[in-house]
């Protein structure tokens, strides 16, 4: 199919820095929306994909799945968008649209596998998808979100991954007024979980391993902060929480958090994919009907719901804006958790000479 | 408080056989129901408690928490029962009745700890509770269940533990018409899970490690039987089940069963309390919003609901009736899974000379 070239930032190999390159975007099909990307958030998955940490990266790789921009063109069958509209794209750009998951607005659990915004396989071009570290993106309108116009646009970008990843489990496990919610970890995901759970009128606790985050956590929506390395503090919240959103992206012992679940409560892993070690002990789970679960981003309708909710509640991510050319330094800082709480690339910088 | 002696079968030490002994029952308080025990089911927990496998057994120990019988006397404030009524007692004989769990009909999750039918601490006498391997039991009417009069009484006894233990998660995780339910393990709990899930109009699959159980499983309510050691069979049910009731009482790898959960499905452990090894892998849980949970017996209202449901659907446990004096042999057979599917003691045998 016909295509055109756009500027992007990507990498040719796991060990290589990201650098400017040209990539192809398909011509807009009748159902496509073409978006000029204004801002793109920087997610840990971007870095893992660029460096092939999970295996399976196809090179060249162009990361970026927290995309906001302005519509520049629409296909003739597009009904939701017109040129000039604000628009956003998250982690998915396509799915089968026919399976039971897709029909139930759960495209993230598409039984035939959704198409990732990057490192997926574009059904139209047959090659890998390229993410938001680029000038433009062309996406089926079903996977394009409307952006509330009252929000600070760069701060919206991280809602598309960090926001929906924490919103979906809060909604699925029915968090609302009076719910007791805890959040493990205060990074990109964790700070969004605090904001969203607070806005849902839950009583919100942050678990942190280190003191010194209390003030920031409370500004972000936490009612309480528990230092998880302090036994007395952990004892004080034993059996308390209805839902725990565990955002920690590396292996860690979840048993101490299970102990803080109320009976019938659920701990939801959203950051760590791997073996649970130390081993999970089932005894407190049986004795208190507790669950350990996982959750993956959210469906398109749910993502729109989250964006609309953020518009109503004036919620955006706390961000640090960077230039595209600073992405390699940003990755290094991200590995040291040296960001409060999300880098967002000002894509106008891509127009500068690299 | 005043008390009287009744005949019972119990043990004085972990290594000792069970033998006839006298125990004290409290005089009926105004809220108590005195029950002549007609049948008592034999649960694995009985054996574990008798032998102090879990630690904490207080001797002498009299097991038995699957109790059916006839009311012989009631206290003056008792309203639900009168002498001559059929009655049943399960795993609990008391709880605080004031905490949020108790107020919500979840006495099994009493925040102050429920009183077990045996090896608990009787609030009235101050000593340990003695179970159903005895002539009579005296229980607060709140913890006494009504027995549908159309059911074969010995077969009702195991409903009080094996029945409610599988019923409660089926209900909590909303199993109904069209649900796809799997049951892991075909013992006392597993055979009840098949019967109850089938009666709830779910499509029911049994996971078994060994061939040869298919005919029996289908008679009990299974629509399908999957041999869990056969890769091709396991692959054929990948992503299928909404709820899995895992009744296996020893450590086992749950990861292969998690793979057979549908997205958003839950595997519920009801038989095994301990470390999950091999380690549980969170990746499929995150990618499919799957949960691993536990569940403990059920509340009193839910137990009554289950008994009434069994009455309507003519469900009882498949049992082998034994004499009280044969309990030590029954324990040995139980350890070899040589029972289809529950031993029930005919308590009239306790009247014979031991």
């Amino acid at each position: 199919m016909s295509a055109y070239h756009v500027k992007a930032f990507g990498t040719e190999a796991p060990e290589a820095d990201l650098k400017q390159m040209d990539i192809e975007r398909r011509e807009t099909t009748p159902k496509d929306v073409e978006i000029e990307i204004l801002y793109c958030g920087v997610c840990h998955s971007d870095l893992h994909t660029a460096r092939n940490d999970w295996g399976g990266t196809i090179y060249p790789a162009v990361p970026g799945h927290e995309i906001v921009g302005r519509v520049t063109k629409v296909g003739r069958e597009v009904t939701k968008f017109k040129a000039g509209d604000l628009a956003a794209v998250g982690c998915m750009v396509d799915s089968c649209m026919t399976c039971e998951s897709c029909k139930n607005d759960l495209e993230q659990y598409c039984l035939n596998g959704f198409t990732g915004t990057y490192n997926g396989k574009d059904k139209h071009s047959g090659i890998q998808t390229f993410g938001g570290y680029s000038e433009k993106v062309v996406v089926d309108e079903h996977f394009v979100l409307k952006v509330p116009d009252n929000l600070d646009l760069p701060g919206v970008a991280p809602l598309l991954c960090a926001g929906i990843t924490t919103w979906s489990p809060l909604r699925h496990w029915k968090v609302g007024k009076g719910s007791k919610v805890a959040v493990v970890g205060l990074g990109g995901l964790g700070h969004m979980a605090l904001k969203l759970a607070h806005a849902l009128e839950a009583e919100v606790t942050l678990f942190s391993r280190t003191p010194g985050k209390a003030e920031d956590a409370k500004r972000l929506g936490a009612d309480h902060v528990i230092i998880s390395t302090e036994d007395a503090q952990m004892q004080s919240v034993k059996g308390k929480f209805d839902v725990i959103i565990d955002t920690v992206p590396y292996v860690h012992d979840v048993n101490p958090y299970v102990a803080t679940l109320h009976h019938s409560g659920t701990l939801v892993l959203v950051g760590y994919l791997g073996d649970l070690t130390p081993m999970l002990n089932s005894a407190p789970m049986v004795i208190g009907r507790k669950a350990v679960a996982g959750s993956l981003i959210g469906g398109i309708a749910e993502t729109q719901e989250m964006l609309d909710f953020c518009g109503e509640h004036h919620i955006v991510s706390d961000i640090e804006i960077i230039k595209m050319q600073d992405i390699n330094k940003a990755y290094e800082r991200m590995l040291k958790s040296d960001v409060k709480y999300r880098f967002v690339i000002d894509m106008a910088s891509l127009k500068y000479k690299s």
Side-chain angles (χ1 to χ4, degrees), chain A residues 65-105:
Chain A
H65 58 202
E66 297 183 336
I67 298 169
V68 291
R70 200 167 285 281
V71 174
T72 42
K73 193 168 29 168
V74 300
R76 65 174 183 275
E77 294 175 19
V78 168
T79 59
K80 280 164 52 189
F81 294 93
K82 62 179 190 306
D85 288 351
L86 288 176
V89 176
C91 304
M92 302 184 284
V93 289
D94 215 338
S95 69
C96 82
M97 301 300 291
T98 57
C99 76
E100 168 253 334
S101 295
C102 289
K103 286 182 179 168
N104 285 296
D105 292 322

mmCIF file of all heavy atoms in Angstrom, chain A residues 65-105:
data_model
loop_
_atom_site.group_PDB
_atom_site.id
_atom_site.type_symbol
_atom_site.label_atom_id
_atom_site.label_comp_id
_atom_site.label_asym_id
_atom_site.label_seq_id
_atom_site.Cartn_x
_atom_site.Cartn_y
_atom_site.Cartn_z
ATOM 1 N N HIS A 65 4.101 5.229 23.293
ATOM 2 C CA HIS A 65 2.671 4.901 23.220
ATOM 3 C C HIS A 65 1.856 5.750 24.187
ATOM 4 O O HIS A 65 0.846 5.288 24.722
ATOM 5 C CB HIS A 65 2.426 3.389 23.381
ATOM 6 C CG HIS A 65 2.922 2.768 24.644
ATOM 7 N ND1 HIS A 65 3.178 1.418 24.754
ATOM 8 C CD2 HIS A 65 3.199 3.287 25.859
ATOM 9 C CE1 HIS A 65 3.585 1.142 25.989
ATOM 10 N NE2 HIS A 65 3.598 2.260 26.677
ATOM 11 N N GLU A 66 2.334 6.963 24.397
ATOM 12 C CA GLU A 66 1.548 7.932 25.173
ATOM 13 C C GLU A 66 1.503 9.197 24.320
ATOM 14 O O GLU A 66 2.276 10.131 24.516
ATOM 15 C CB GLU A 66 2.208 8.196 26.532
ATOM 16 C CG GLU A 66 2.275 6.954 27.409
ATOM 17 C CD GLU A 66 2.875 7.193 28.808
ATOM 18 O OE1 GLU A 66 3.653 8.168 28.981
ATOM 19 O OE2 GLU A 66 2.569 6.403 29.720
ATOM 20 N N ILE A 67 0.611 9.157 23.361
ATOM 21 C CA ILE A 67 0.642 10.107 22.246
ATOM 22 C C ILE A 67 -0.525 11.090 22.325
ATOM 23 O O ILE A 67 -1.677 10.679 22.435
ATOM 24 C CB ILE A 67 0.550 9.319 20.909
ATOM 25 C CG1 ILE A 67 1.748 8.379 20.761
ATOM 26 C CG2 ILE A 67 0.409 10.272 19.723
ATOM 27 C CD1 ILE A 67 1.609 7.369 19.618
ATOM 28 N N VAL A 68 -0.213 12.385 22.252
ATOM 29 C CA VAL A 68 -1.281 13.378 22.054
ATOM 30 C C VAL A 68 -0.874 14.284 20.897
ATOM 31 O O VAL A 68 0.306 14.552 20.675
ATOM 32 C CB VAL A 68 -1.567 14.232 23.313
ATOM 33 C CG1 VAL A 68 -2.205 13.387 24.409
ATOM 34 C CG2 VAL A 68 -0.315 14.920 23.826
ATOM 35 N N GLY A 69 -1.860 14.733 20.168
ATOM 36 C CA GLY A 69 -1.557 15.592 19.032
ATOM 37 C C GLY A 69 -2.825 16.183 18.437
ATOM 38 O O GLY A 69 -3.869 16.228 19.087
ATOM 39 N N ARG A 70 -2.684 16.617 17.193
ATOM 40 C CA ARG A 70 -3.797 17.271 16.531
ATOM 41 C C ARG A 70 -4.057 16.564 15.213
ATOM 42 O O ARG A 70 -3.113 16.200 14.490
ATOM 43 C CB ARG A 70 -3.457 18.752 16.302
ATOM 44 C CG ARG A 70 -4.680 19.620 16.071
ATOM 45 C CD ARG A 70 -4.349 21.101 16.155
ATOM 46 N NE ARG A 70 -4.141 21.607 17.501
ATOM 47 C CZ ARG A 70 -5.115 21.909 18.375
ATOM 48 N NH1 ARG A 70 -6.384 21.706 18.053
ATOM 49 N NH2 ARG A 70 -4.823 22.390 19.570
ATOM 50 N N VAL A 71 -5.321 16.335 14.914
ATOM 51 C CA VAL A 71 -5.691 15.632 13.694
ATOM 52 C C VAL A 71 -5.364 16.510 12.486
ATOM 53 O O VAL A 71 -5.732 17.693 12.446
ATOM 54 C CB VAL A 71 -7.195 15.281 13.713
ATOM 55 C CG1 VAL A 71 -7.621 14.666 12.372
ATOM 56 C CG2 VAL A 71 -7.506 14.335 14.871
ATOM 57 N N THR A 72 -4.670 15.914 11.526
ATOM 58 C CA THR A 72 -4.320 16.655 10.306
ATOM 59 C C THR A 72 -5.137 16.190 9.102
ATOM 60 O O THR A 72 -5.286 16.914 8.131
ATOM 61 C CB THR A 72 -2.822 16.480 9.992
ATOM 62 O OG1 THR A 72 -2.452 15.116 10.211
ATOM 63 C CG2 THR A 72 -1.985 17.364 10.905
ATOM 64 N N LYS A 73 -5.653 15.000 9.164
ATOM 65 C CA LYS A 73 -6.385 14.446 8.030
ATOM 66 C C LYS A 73 -7.213 13.265 8.518
ATOM 67 O O LYS A 73 -6.783 12.555 9.436
ATOM 68 C CB LYS A 73 -5.378 13.972 6.960
ATOM 69 C CG LYS A 73 -6.013 13.666 5.630
ATOM 70 C CD LYS A 73 -5.046 13.471 4.452
ATOM 71 C CE LYS A 73 -3.668 12.956 4.690
ATOM 72 N NZ LYS A 73 -2.965 12.552 3.449
ATOM 73 N N VAL A 74 -8.379 13.054 7.899
ATOM 74 C CA VAL A 74 -9.169 11.865 8.246
ATOM 75 C C VAL A 74 -9.632 11.181 6.976
ATOM 76 O O VAL A 74 -9.860 11.837 5.942
ATOM 77 C CB VAL A 74 -10.399 12.208 9.130
ATOM 78 C CG1 VAL A 74 -9.971 12.856 10.446
ATOM 79 C CG2 VAL A 74 -11.408 13.069 8.398
ATOM 80 N N GLY A 75 -9.796 9.857 7.054
ATOM 81 C CA GLY A 75 -10.348 9.086 5.940
ATOM 82 C C GLY A 75 -11.835 9.396 5.785
ATOM 83 O O GLY A 75 -12.481 9.893 6.706
ATOM 84 N N ARG A 76 -12.376 9.007 4.634
ATOM 85 C CA ARG A 76 -13.742 9.448 4.314
ATOM 86 C C ARG A 76 -14.815 8.779 5.171
ATOM 87 O O ARG A 76 -15.931 9.259 5.268
ATOM 88 C CB ARG A 76 -14.025 9.246 2.821
ATOM 89 C CG ARG A 76 -14.037 7.805 2.371
ATOM 90 C CD ARG A 76 -14.477 7.645 0.918
ATOM 91 N NE ARG A 76 -14.544 6.238 0.574
ATOM 92 C CZ ARG A 76 -13.492 5.517 0.166
ATOM 93 N NH1 ARG A 76 -12.324 6.085 -0.006
ATOM 94 N NH2 ARG A 76 -13.629 4.221 -0.084
ATOM 95 N N GLU A 77 -14.480 7.666 5.798
ATOM 96 C CA GLU A 77 -15.488 6.999 6.647
ATOM 97 C C GLU A 77 -15.355 7.366 8.121
ATOM 98 O O GLU A 77 -16.113 6.876 8.955
ATOM 99 C CB GLU A 77 -15.369 5.476 6.492
ATOM 100 C CG GLU A 77 -15.744 5.010 5.098
ATOM 101 C CD GLU A 77 -15.501 3.515 4.901
ATOM 102 O OE1 GLU A 77 -15.396 2.786 5.919
ATOM 103 O OE2 GLU A 77 -15.407 3.086 3.726
ATOM 104 N N VAL A 78 -14.396 8.216 8.423
ATOM 105 C CA VAL A 78 -14.174 8.600 9.825
ATOM 106 C C VAL A 78 -15.297 9.527 10.286
ATOM 107 O O VAL A 78 -15.645 10.486 9.584
ATOM 108 C CB VAL A 78 -12.802 9.287 9.981
ATOM 109 C CG1 VAL A 78 -12.682 9.954 11.345
ATOM 110 C CG2 VAL A 78 -11.694 8.254 9.788
ATOM 111 N N THR A 79 -15.868 9.220 11.433
ATOM 112 C CA THR A 79 -16.994 10.027 11.924
ATOM 113 C C THR A 79 -16.675 10.749 13.225
ATOM 114 O O THR A 79 -17.308 11.751 13.545
ATOM 115 C CB THR A 79 -18.219 9.124 12.182
ATOM 116 O OG1 THR A 79 -17.848 8.126 13.144
ATOM 117 C CG2 THR A 79 -18.683 8.455 10.897
ATOM 118 N N LYS A 80 -15.720 10.235 13.990
ATOM 119 C CA LYS A 80 -15.480 10.794 15.324
ATOM 120 C C LYS A 80 -14.545 11.999 15.314
ATOM 121 O O LYS A 80 -14.517 12.763 16.274
ATOM 122 C CB LYS A 80 -14.861 9.714 16.230
ATOM 123 C CG LYS A 80 -15.849 8.717 16.809
ATOM 124 C CD LYS A 80 -15.142 7.469 17.374
ATOM 125 C CE LYS A 80 -14.015 7.766 18.350
ATOM 126 N NZ LYS A 80 -13.246 6.542 18.697
ATOM 127 N N PHE A 81 -13.750 12.137 14.277
ATOM 128 C CA PHE A 81 -12.717 13.182 14.269
ATOM 129 C C PHE A 81 -12.746 13.975 12.973
ATOM 130 O O PHE A 81 -13.152 13.466 11.926
ATOM 131 C CB PHE A 81 -11.319 12.551 14.427
ATOM 132 C CG PHE A 81 -11.126 11.897 15.760
ATOM 133 C CD1 PHE A 81 -11.399 10.546 15.925
ATOM 134 C CD2 PHE A 81 -10.713 12.635 16.865
ATOM 135 C CE1 PHE A 81 -11.247 9.933 17.163
ATOM 136 C CE2 PHE A 81 -10.555 12.026 18.099
ATOM 137 C CZ PHE A 81 -10.827 10.678 18.247
ATOM 138 N N LYS A 82 -12.252 15.213 13.079
ATOM 139 C CA LYS A 82 -12.028 16.021 11.874
ATOM 140 C C LYS A 82 -10.690 16.738 12.042
ATOM 141 O O LYS A 82 -10.151 16.826 13.170
ATOM 142 C CB LYS A 82 -13.174 17.013 11.673
ATOM 143 C CG LYS A 82 -13.340 18.015 12.792
ATOM 144 C CD LYS A 82 -14.498 18.973 12.501
ATOM 145 C CE LYS A 82 -14.498 20.134 13.502
ATOM 146 N NZ LYS A 82 -14.491 19.741 14.924
ATOM 147 N N ALA A 83 -10.156 17.220 10.962
ATOM 148 C CA ALA A 83 -8.866 17.919 11.015
ATOM 149 C C ALA A 83 -8.967 19.075 12.014
ATOM 150 O O ALA A 83 -9.970 19.790 12.064
ATOM 151 C CB ALA A 83 -8.497 18.438 9.629
ATOM 152 N N GLY A 84 -7.925 19.208 12.816
ATOM 153 C CA GLY A 84 -7.902 20.281 13.814
ATOM 154 C C GLY A 84 -8.255 19.826 15.212
ATOM 155 O O GLY A 84 -7.926 20.498 16.200
ATOM 156 N N ASP A 85 -8.912 18.673 15.327
ATOM 157 C CA ASP A 85 -9.262 18.148 16.665
ATOM 158 C C ASP A 85 -8.019 17.709 17.424
ATOM 159 O O ASP A 85 -7.064 17.203 16.828
ATOM 160 C CB ASP A 85 -10.173 16.913 16.535
ATOM 161 C CG ASP A 85 -11.580 17.254 16.087
ATOM 162 O OD1 ASP A 85 -11.922 18.450 16.038
ATOM 163 O OD2 ASP A 85 -12.329 16.297 15.782
ATOM 164 N N LEU A 86 -8.087 17.849 18.734
ATOM 165 C CA LEU A 86 -7.094 17.176 19.572
ATOM 166 C C LEU A 86 -7.389 15.679 19.542
ATOM 167 O O LEU A 86 -8.554 15.272 19.457
ATOM 168 C CB LEU A 86 -7.176 17.673 21.016
ATOM 169 C CG LEU A 86 -6.671 19.098 21.279
ATOM 170 C CD1 LEU A 86 -6.912 19.463 22.743
ATOM 171 C CD2 LEU A 86 -5.185 19.217 20.935
ATOM 172 N N ALA A 87 -6.360 14.870 19.651
ATOM 173 C CA ALA A 87 -6.557 13.417 19.625
ATOM 174 C C ALA A 87 -5.418 12.745 20.372
ATOM 175 O O ALA A 87 -4.342 13.328 20.539
ATOM 176 C CB ALA A 87 -6.609 12.912 18.189
ATOM 177 N N ALA A 88 -5.673 11.530 20.812
ATOM 178 C CA ALA A 88 -4.654 10.792 21.561
ATOM 179 C C ALA A 88 -4.654 9.338 21.129
ATOM 180 O O ALA A 88 -5.668 8.802 20.668
ATOM 181 C CB ALA A 88 -4.938 10.892 23.056
ATOM 182 N N VAL A 89 -3.495 8.702 21.284
ATOM 183 C CA VAL A 89 -3.341 7.277 20.994
ATOM 184 C C VAL A 89 -2.543 6.651 22.133
ATOM 185 O O VAL A 89 -1.573 7.255 22.608
ATOM 186 C CB VAL A 89 -2.611 7.055 19.645
ATOM 187 C CG1 VAL A 89 -2.359 5.571 19.402
ATOM 188 C CG2 VAL A 89 -3.409 7.665 18.501
ATOM 189 N N GLY A 90 -2.986 5.487 22.567
ATOM 190 C CA GLY A 90 -2.308 4.809 23.666
ATOM 191 C C GLY A 90 -1.497 3.618 23.175
ATOM 192 O O GLY A 90 -0.806 3.704 22.159
ATOM 193 N N CYS A 91 -1.628 2.509 23.887
ATOM 194 C CA CYS A 91 -0.754 1.360 23.642
ATOM 195 C C CYS A 91 -1.209 0.471 22.493
ATOM 196 O O CYS A 91 -0.490 -0.438 22.092
ATOM 197 C CB CYS A 91 -0.657 0.516 24.906
ATOM 198 S SG CYS A 91 -0.097 1.469 26.333
ATOM 199 N N MET A 92 -2.431 0.694 22.014
ATOM 200 C CA MET A 92 -2.965 -0.182 20.959
ATOM 201 C C MET A 92 -3.345 0.660 19.745
ATOM 202 O O MET A 92 -3.901 1.756 19.904
ATOM 203 C CB MET A 92 -4.234 -0.890 21.448
ATOM 204 C CG MET A 92 -4.054 -1.725 22.702
ATOM 205 S SD MET A 92 -5.578 -2.629 23.154
ATOM 206 C CE MET A 92 -6.571 -1.305 23.851
ATOM 207 N N VAL A 93 -3.100 0.128 18.559
ATOM 208 C CA VAL A 93 -3.560 0.806 17.345
ATOM 209 C C VAL A 93 -4.481 -0.068 16.500
ATOM 210 O O VAL A 93 -5.011 0.382 15.484
ATOM 211 C CB VAL A 93 -2.377 1.296 16.477
ATOM 212 C CG1 VAL A 93 -1.666 2.466 17.150
ATOM 213 C CG2 VAL A 93 -1.406 0.160 16.172
ATOM 214 N N ASP A 94 -4.700 -1.308 16.951
ATOM 215 C CA ASP A 94 -5.596 -2.179 16.191
ATOM 216 C C ASP A 94 -5.865 -3.436 17.019
ATOM 217 O O ASP A 94 -5.149 -3.723 17.996
ATOM 218 C CB ASP A 94 -4.975 -2.576 14.842
ATOM 219 C CG ASP A 94 -6.010 -2.705 13.735
ATOM 220 O OD1 ASP A 94 -7.202 -2.896 14.052
ATOM 221 O OD2 ASP A 94 -5.609 -2.611 12.557
ATOM 222 N N SER A 95 -6.917 -4.147 16.647
ATOM 223 C CA SER A 95 -7.193 -5.479 17.203
ATOM 224 C C SER A 95 -8.141 -6.148 16.224
ATOM 225 O O SER A 95 -8.542 -5.534 15.224
ATOM 226 C CB SER A 95 -7.805 -5.376 18.606
ATOM 227 O OG SER A 95 -9.113 -4.839 18.537
ATOM 228 N N CYS A 96 -8.537 -7.388 16.511
ATOM 229 C CA CYS A 96 -9.322 -8.113 15.503
ATOM 230 C C CYS A 96 -10.720 -7.538 15.329
ATOM 231 O O CYS A 96 -11.323 -7.663 14.276
ATOM 232 C CB CYS A 96 -9.385 -9.609 15.839
ATOM 233 S SG CYS A 96 -10.635 -10.049 17.069
ATOM 234 N N MET A 97 -11.243 -6.902 16.388
ATOM 235 C CA MET A 97 -12.572 -6.276 16.378
ATOM 236 C C MET A 97 -13.720 -7.262 16.205
ATOM 237 O O MET A 97 -14.876 -6.846 16.092
ATOM 238 C CB MET A 97 -12.666 -5.191 15.299
ATOM 239 C CG MET A 97 -11.653 -4.059 15.453
ATOM 240 S SD MET A 97 -11.837 -3.197 17.029
ATOM 241 C CE MET A 97 -13.408 -2.367 16.766
ATOM 242 N N THR A 98 -13.417 -8.542 16.179
ATOM 243 C CA THR A 98 -14.499 -9.508 15.973
ATOM 244 C C THR A 98 -14.640 -10.499 17.123
ATOM 245 O O THR A 98 -15.678 -11.134 17.262
ATOM 246 C CB THR A 98 -14.262 -10.323 14.680
ATOM 247 O OG1 THR A 98 -12.989 -10.959 14.779
ATOM 248 C CG2 THR A 98 -14.286 -9.432 13.451
ATOM 249 N N CYS A 99 -13.610 -10.645 17.931
ATOM 250 C CA CYS A 99 -13.689 -11.643 19.003
ATOM 251 C C CYS A 99 -14.568 -11.116 20.133
ATOM 252 O O CYS A 99 -14.935 -9.945 20.177
ATOM 253 C CB CYS A 99 -12.298 -12.018 19.517
ATOM 254 S SG CYS A 99 -11.548 -10.762 20.576
ATOM 255 N N GLU A 100 -14.861 -12.002 21.048
ATOM 256 C CA GLU A 100 -15.737 -11.684 22.177
ATOM 257 C C GLU A 100 -15.120 -10.571 23.035
ATOM 258 O O GLU A 100 -15.838 -9.704 23.529
ATOM 259 C CB GLU A 100 -15.952 -12.992 22.959
ATOM 260 C CG GLU A 100 -16.571 -12.902 24.294
ATOM 261 C CD GLU A 100 -15.546 -13.136 25.401
ATOM 262 O OE1 GLU A 100 -14.532 -13.824 25.166
ATOM 263 O OE2 GLU A 100 -15.765 -12.598 26.499
ATOM 264 N N SER A 101 -13.797 -10.555 23.203
ATOM 265 C CA SER A 101 -13.159 -9.484 23.976
ATOM 266 C C SER A 101 -13.358 -8.139 23.288
ATOM 267 O O SER A 101 -13.785 -7.162 23.911
ATOM 268 C CB SER A 101 -11.659 -9.745 24.144
ATOM 269 O OG SER A 101 -11.425 -10.893 24.918
ATOM 270 N N CYS A 102 -13.044 -8.089 22.002
ATOM 271 C CA CYS A 102 -13.176 -6.824 21.265
ATOM 272 C C CYS A 102 -14.615 -6.344 21.262
ATOM 273 O O CYS A 102 -14.883 -5.152 21.424
ATOM 274 C CB CYS A 102 -12.669 -6.986 19.834
ATOM 275 S SG CYS A 102 -10.868 -7.154 19.745
ATOM 276 N N LYS A 103 -15.538 -7.268 21.091
ATOM 277 C CA LYS A 103 -16.958 -6.878 21.078
ATOM 278 C C LYS A 103 -17.414 -6.358 22.427
ATOM 279 O O LYS A 103 -18.424 -5.668 22.529
ATOM 280 C CB LYS A 103 -17.819 -8.070 20.647
ATOM 281 C CG LYS A 103 -17.712 -8.343 19.156
ATOM 282 C CD LYS A 103 -18.616 -9.485 18.742
ATOM 283 C CE LYS A 103 -18.515 -9.715 17.239
ATOM 284 N NZ LYS A 103 -19.159 -10.977 16.852
ATOM 285 N N ASN A 104 -16.677 -6.730 23.472
ATOM 286 C CA ASN A 104 -17.023 -6.264 24.814
ATOM 287 C C ASN A 104 -16.107 -5.134 25.294
ATOM 288 O O ASN A 104 -15.944 -4.945 26.498
ATOM 289 C CB ASN A 104 -16.981 -7.438 25.793
ATOM 290 C CG ASN A 104 -18.177 -8.341 25.623
ATOM 291 O OD1 ASN A 104 -19.312 -7.940 25.839
ATOM 292 N ND2 ASN A 104 -17.934 -9.572 25.180
ATOM 293 N N ASP A 105 -15.544 -4.391 24.335
ATOM 294 C CA ASP A 105 -14.722 -3.221 24.699
ATOM 295 C C ASP A 105 -13.511 -3.597 25.544
ATOM 296 O O ASP A 105 -13.071 -2.832 26.391
ATOM 297 C CB ASP A 105 -15.562 -2.174 25.443
ATOM 298 C CG ASP A 105 -16.605 -1.535 24.547
ATOM 299 O OD1 ASP A 105 -16.290 -1.300 23.366
ATOM 300 O OD2 ASP A 105 -17.726 -1.276 25.016
#
